[in-house]
Amino acid sequence: MAAISESTKNYSQETLVLAICITTVGFLVFFTQTFKFLKWVWTMFLRPPKNLTHYGSWALITGSTDGIGKSLSFDLASKGLDLILIGRNPQKLQTTSNEIWAKFGKENTKIKVIVIDFEKISGEEIENKIKEEIEGLDVGILVNNVGLSTNGARFFHEVGLEGFGNLVDVNIGSVSWVTRGVLPGMLQRRKGAIVNIGSGSSIVVPSYPLYSVYAATKAYVAMFSRSLSLEYKQFGIDVQCQIPLLVATKMASIKRSSFFVPSPDQYSKASVRWIGYESLCVPYWTHSLQWCLLNAIPDSLVNWALLRYFLSLRKKVLRKENKLV
Ligand SMILES: NC(=O)c1ccc[n+]([C@@H]2O[C@H](COP(=O)([O-])OP(=O)(O)OC[C@H]3O[C@@H](n4cnc5c(N)ncnc54)[C@H](OP(=O)(O)O)[C@@H]3O)[C@@H](O)[C@H]2O)c1
Ligand SMILES: *[C@@H]1O[C@H](CO)[C@@H](O)[C@H](O)[C@H]1NC(C)=O
């Protein structure tokens, strides 16, 4: 009898200790998750944006004649910045300028356009052209937005040499050389913000098959930004990589926005709120939500689904080109 009651007592003591441990861990997890969630709400919706004119009076935007870059130009003008618009098509640059002036008034927003086709010129030629064109201008914000995607899903050995080279020139070359053109002025003034537009393909998924070159160029953009951010913080220059997931633009071949796919206008409203903060961020809230959901799915499952989906896209493209019967 005595032996039995002794063992019950031990047993209940152990249970008590275990229960306390589990409860403590439970509370810790609960508090860290709640804290994370509140921080997310704060940064996503409540945190006051930086005073963007504080960086300087001009903002330079590459790929500003369509999509995200065009919307960003409007939003930066609405914050009181003068604009330097870079594009490859003089006509579209003129149309974009006229639309911005119609909305904000010629007297409120100065606009300078620079025609550059990043598939046609590269390297130091870009750097020198930028330096020449912005001489004497107080460029506070640089948005490296221009980007190119492969024409449909393809195996790497099927990507044409030209398609490969253009992608590297536009996605990696433009970001690097335009930045080199703008940095010296920012260093002199000891202030500036650089925003590089990356892509979810290099951050929120474990791989991006059949678009490997595109995803890899965007991985360069992300790492480049994070490293520069550390290098130049001490000189008052905030460098950041912003990660969009799908946005309804001509590049994504999506015309209508939806819950998970914002319009470029919706996207850029979120984008400007993040300028000058974290070195890597996902500015749009439903994109951030998708990232969170993707994180919860095992990599192998995401890989499997992506490969299947992109293989089916490839078939569609080939069928269109009559290369598959
Ligand atoms: N849309 C998405 O779902 C998505 C997702 C992730 C990341 N991104 C990134 O977001 C950025 C903007 O993409 P978007 O969707 O807004 O694309 P978009 O609608 O196709 O606009 C691209 C802009 O870049 C210009 N451009 C293209 N090639 C150029 C060249 N060789 N030289 C000079 N300018 C050139 C275009 O000029 P034209 O007007 O003359 O065509 C246009 O102004 C890109 O870096 C892209 O990788 C987009
Ligand atoms: C933002 O900064 C500029 C330049 O430093 C200053 O003139 C302006 O008053 C500031 N705006 C606000 C709302 O603080």
Side-chain angles (χ1 to χ4, degrees), residues 63-69 86-89 92 116-119 145-148 170-171 197-200 214 218 244-252:
S64 53
T65 49
D66 217 324
I68 297 171
I86 298 189
R88 59 181 163 185
N89 180 336
K92 278 182 93 169
I116 298 181
D117 186 334
F118 292 105
E119 287 171 43
N145 160 79
V146 66
L148 205 66
V170 177
N171 295 7
I197 308 295
S199 159
Y214 176 74
K218 291 300 186 177
L245 275 65
L246 284 178
V247 179
T249 67
K250 79 168 155 44
M251 176 196 266

Side-chain angles (χ1 to χ4, degrees), residues 51-54 191:
N51 178 349
L52 298 183
T53 49
H54 176 70
K191 56 187 178 188

Side-chain angles (χ1 to χ4, degrees), residues 43-223:
T43 49
M44 204 51 89
F45 305 108
L46 304 171
R47 181 170 64 181
K50 298 243 168 156
N51 178 349
L52 298 183
T53 49
H54 176 70
Y55 287 114
S57 50
W58 292 84
L60 186 154
I61 303 112
T62 68
S64 53
T65 49
D66 217 324
I68 297 171
K70 185 172 181 180
S71 297
L72 271 171
S73 303
F74 276 83
D75 280 309
L76 289 169
S78 82
K79 303 283 176 208
L81 284 142
D82 296 322
L83 305 174
I84 302 166
L85 305 179
I86 298 189
R88 59 181 163 185
N89 180 336
Q91 219 97 55
K92 278 182 93 169
L93 280 166
Q94 191 56 53
T95 314
T96 305
S97 309
N98 288 342
E99 286 172 21
I100 293 172
W101 277 329
K103 184 151 184 200
F104 300 104
K106 238 176 174 161
E107 63 288 355
N108 295 319
T109 310
K110 288 187 213 132
I111 300 180
K112 179 181 169 63
V113 302
I114 306 176
V115 182
I116 298 181
D117 186 334
F118 292 105
E119 287 171 43
K120 302 235 167 83
I121 72 166
S122 57
E124 271 185 317
E125 212 180 326
I126 298 176
E127 180 184 342
N128 293 335
K129 184 162 173 77
I130 298 284
K131 279 184 177 156
E132 206 176 284
E133 296 271 2
I134 67 171
E135 171 118 57
L137 298 182
D138 168 24
V139 180
I141 298 180
L142 160 63
V143 184
N144 282 307
N145 160 79
V146 66
L148 205 66
S149 175
T150 2
N151 177 22
R154 276 165 218 278
F155 283 104
F156 178 56
H157 71 268
E158 297 169 336
V159 175
L161 202 58
E162 203 195 60
F164 176 78
N166 286 349
L167 227 67
V168 173
D169 281 347
V170 177
N171 295 7
I172 295 183
S174 76
V175 176
S176 317
W177 293 103
V178 173
T179 301
R180 275 173 70 102
V182 174
L183 261 176
M186 288 183 169
L187 278 169
Q188 232 167 33
R189 294 182 294 272
R190 295 237 155 198
K191 56 187 178 188
I194 299 177
V195 179
N196 300 323
I197 308 295
S199 159
S201 59
S202 76
I203 296 289
V204 306
V205 284
S207 66
Y208 212 65
L210 282 77
Y211 286 98
S212 53
V213 178
Y214 176 74
T217 61
K218 291 300 186 177
Y220 172 94
V221 174
M223 196 54 174

Side-chain angles (χ1 to χ4, degrees), residues 263-285:
S263 68
D265 282 346
Q266 286 173 310
Y267 182 80
S268 76
K269 293 266 173 324
S271 162
V272 289
R273 297 196 66 239
W274 286 78
I275 295 176
Y277 286 110
E278 288 77 5
S279 65
L280 187 101
C281 64
V282 178
Y284 194 69
W285 76 279

